[in-house]
Amino acid sequence: MSDEINIAIIGTKFMGRAHSNAYIDAPYFFDLPLKPVRKAACGRNQKDLKKFAKNFGWQSTETEWQRIVERDDIDIVDICTANDTHAPIAIAAAKAGKHVICEKPLAMNTQEAKEMLNAANLAGITHMTAFNYRRIPALLIAKKLIRDGKIGKIRHFNAVYYQDWLVDPGFPIVWRHNAKVAGSGAHGDLNAHIIDLARFLVGEISSVCGAQEIFIKERPFSNGEGKGEVTTDDATFFLANFEEGALGSFSATRFATGRKNCLRLEVFGSEGSIAFNLERMNELEYFSRHDDPGIQGFRNILATEGAYHDYIQAWWPPGHIIGWEHTFIHEVKDFIEAVDKKMGVQADFYDGLRCQQVLDAVVKSAKTRQWVEIPPEER
Ligand SMILES: NC(=O)c1ccc[n+]([C@@H]2O[C@H](COP(=O)([O-])OP(=O)(O)OC[C@H]3O[C@@H](n4cnc5c(N)ncnc54)[C@H](O)[C@@H]3O)[C@@H](O)[C@H]2O)c1
């Protein structure tokens, strides 16, 4: 490793920690062309920020993201903030010539996502929408099986993303309940992931028909003084047609009592099927109509060997499983390599935009109680 590349992270909580960990680990496990330097961290609360920077080894701090964008010692801006800040930060960072990683959902709406993509293209930077689940080895095997025609023509993509952290009506109101900050609730948070995986594995979605619900309309403020209105969906379900003819279903809810982070998907094809569950993320279920006639059934592939993907070779011997945090390490590795080679990386802002178009179409469909078409979009 010869040169260095300076990173700034904006947002210091959940994703701030996950991405920080990735910058620390990536150069130890992968032979990166550029060494990521944890140059600056940005958060609004000075005390929390200092502690975060010390814990994760960020060299300096800023309390306003505008300062990060102005600094000429920053090469990559990593946006780990609430959704309403993604567009202003990403656009300003791109205009300042910084490469940008932005958490999902890319934007608050399609218009913002388009502006972000335009700004990134105009600036010629490398950009990424942080759909980390694309970098799960089991799903890379799934993609390879699909690409190789092992499951034939795809008829169905059915996915659920279940969480249950809102079941208790006493759970306090947070930014995720505020449409002005989050854009949407379970939809942009959870459906965004499974929409991206649908596009990654199967292809573009052409039309949707959705329904949304807010079950608990008011929640207590965390200081115990009164209640605030919930303006984002607790659950959003939708049906989808894919351009290539498949029929899909998507369910995202924070009211799946007992389910903590249950992303399950099944892809059924004319010749076979695959199934995946994030809570068992090293495993992939695969069924082939042609293998082992007479003793047919799903086989369970332990995705810890390197035949179909190179991430896993950086880790442990076969059978020694990896975890959720590794998806972010893989993301950072790919991003830094792309920046070094001055090329694009998937998933980029175009993928973030396409996801956003599906999200927005579902909201429109739920409001109008009609199917909504999603027109093609040039890359
Ligand atoms: N890829 C994934 O698996 C995944 C998981 C969770 C969240 N996310 C996404 O990551 C983003 C952040 O979510 P989170 O769970 O980390 O939220 P969080 O509430 O844990 O952290 C949000 C952070 O953003 C900071 N912030 C908000 N506005 C800011 C501003 N104007 N300037 C500086 N800092 C600001 C907050 O202070 C906080 O540090 C969201 O877009 C979310 O959808 C992605």
Side-chain angles (χ1 to χ4, degrees):
M1 204 183 296
S2 52
D3 289 321
E4 297 184 332
I5 186 146
N6 291 340
I7 319 291
I9 199 160
I10 309 179
T12 60
K13 298 234 175 92
F14 184 19
M15 282 307 102
R17 294 170 65 232
H19 289 216
S20 294
N21 176 65
Y23 291 114
I24 295 169
D25 273 2
Y28 289 112
F29 289 90
F30 293 96
D31 191 13
L32 298 183
L34 302 165
K35 181 179 182 208
V37 177
R38 298 186 297 286
K39 201 76 183 172
C42 173
R44 292 171 300 181
N45 177 313
Q46 185 70 260
K47 194 166 152 238
D48 289 353
L49 175 63
K50 290 278 175 212
K51 186 169 172 221
F52 170 83
K54 188 160 179 262
N55 274 353
F56 289 99
W58 292 93
Q59 293 176 1
S60 63
T61 59
E62 300 286 354
T63 51
E64 288 174 4
W65 65 259
Q66 289 84 351
R67 275 290 305 133
I68 292 283
V69 169
E70 285 160 13
R71 279 176 58 161
D72 54 15
D73 61 345
I74 301 298
D75 303 307
I76 294 176
V77 172
D78 187 336
I79 304 170
C80 295
T81 49
N83 306 340
D84 63 332
T85 57
H86 291 185
I89 300 174
I91 291 169
K95 282 186 178 161
K98 320 289 187 203
H99 306 287
V100 181
I101 301 181
C102 183
E103 262 304 339
K104 45 53 62 178
L106 182 61
M108 298 284 278
N109 52 52
T110 297
Q111 184 53 36
E112 269 192 8
K114 279 190 176 163
E115 287 166 17
M116 293 166 83
L117 176 60
N118 283 343
N121 283 341
L122 271 176
I125 56 153
T126 301
H127 45 99
M128 172 187 264
T129 306
F131 285 120
N132 51 312
Y133 296 152
R134 286 188 180 212
R135 291 177 164 80
I136 293 173
L139 288 178
L140 291 167
I141 295 176
K143 189 166 173 66
K144 164 91 173 146
L145 290 171
I146 291 170
R147 202 173 44 221
D148 290 352
K150 295 282 191 194
I151 69 167
K153 180 154 181 60
I154 293 172
R155 304 298 186 197
H156 297 298
F157 175 94
N158 297 339
V160 301
Y161 203 154
Y162 291 153
Q163 296 184 346
D164 76 347
W165 56 282
L166 288 186
V167 166
D168 178 0
F171 189 94
I173 201 153
V174 292
W175 67 264
R176 287 184 155 83
H177 297 117
N178 182 349
K180 289 196 176 126
V181 181
S184 66
H187 192 39
D189 190 19
L190 307 180
N191 270 336
H193 275 299
I194 51 181
I195 291 167
D196 184 65
L197 289 178
R199 292 188 58 251
F200 181 59
L201 293 172
V202 177
E204 297 294 351
I205 293 169
S206 54
S207 59
V208 291
C209 178
Q212 302 193 285
E213 199 55 60
I214 302 175
F215 300 113
I216 309 286
K217 315 279 187 218
E218 289 187 325
R219 288 185 177 272
F221 290 117
S222 54
N223 63 8
E225 290 173 16
K227 287 188 167 188
E229 189 190 357
V230 174
T231 52
T232 58
D233 55 293
D234 290 324
T236 297
F237 293 6
F238 67 97
L239 297 176
N241 292 122
F242 286 76
E243 279 179 5
E244 296 296 319
L247 180 64
S249 70
F250 298 72
S251 306
T253 177
R254 293 160 168 170
F255 275 73
T257 310
R259 295 292 181 207
K260 303 302 169 186
N261 196 37
C262 176
L263 185 171
R264 278 206 315 253
L265 63 83
E266 297 194 75
V267 190
F268 298 111
S270 57
E271 312 306 319
S273 305
I274 55 169
F276 171 79
N277 177 356
L278 181 62
E279 289 177 340
R280 305 180 69 100
M281 62 168 271
N282 290 276
E283 298 170 26
L284 183 73
E285 287 183 69
Y286 167 52
F287 174 87
S288 167
R289 288 177 57 215
H290 308 289
D291 294 351
D292 302 329
I295 46 164
Q296 290 212 318
F298 275 85
R299 74 172 80 155
N300 198 37
I301 299 167
L302 188 60
T304 56
E305 291 179 63
Y308 291 134
H309 43 83
D310 56 4
Y311 299 129
I312 204 73
Q313 286 158 2
W315 298 104
W316 320 118
H320 295 64
I321 55 178
I322 61 168
W324 183 80
E325 71 277 23
H326 293 75
T327 61
F328 299 95
I329 301 169
H330 300 164
E331 200 165 77
V332 158
K333 164 210 178 281
D334 287 346
F335 193 78
I336 290 172
E337 283 177 355
V339 167
D340 179 59
K341 292 197 182 109
K342 298 186 175 37
M343 52 186 270
V345 64
Q346 51 86 22
D348 62 9
F349 282 8
Y350 172 82
D351 296 300
L353 165 63
R354 290 301 279 161
C355 176
Q356 196 71 51
Q357 287 170 322
V358 178
L359 290 170
D360 286 5
V362 172
V363 172
K364 185 173 174 194
S365 162
K367 276 194 187 130
T368 59
R369 302 258 161 198
Q370 309 260 326
W371 278 83
V372 172
E373 304 289 322
I374 300 155
E377 176 83 33
E378 295 250 336
R379 181 174 270 280

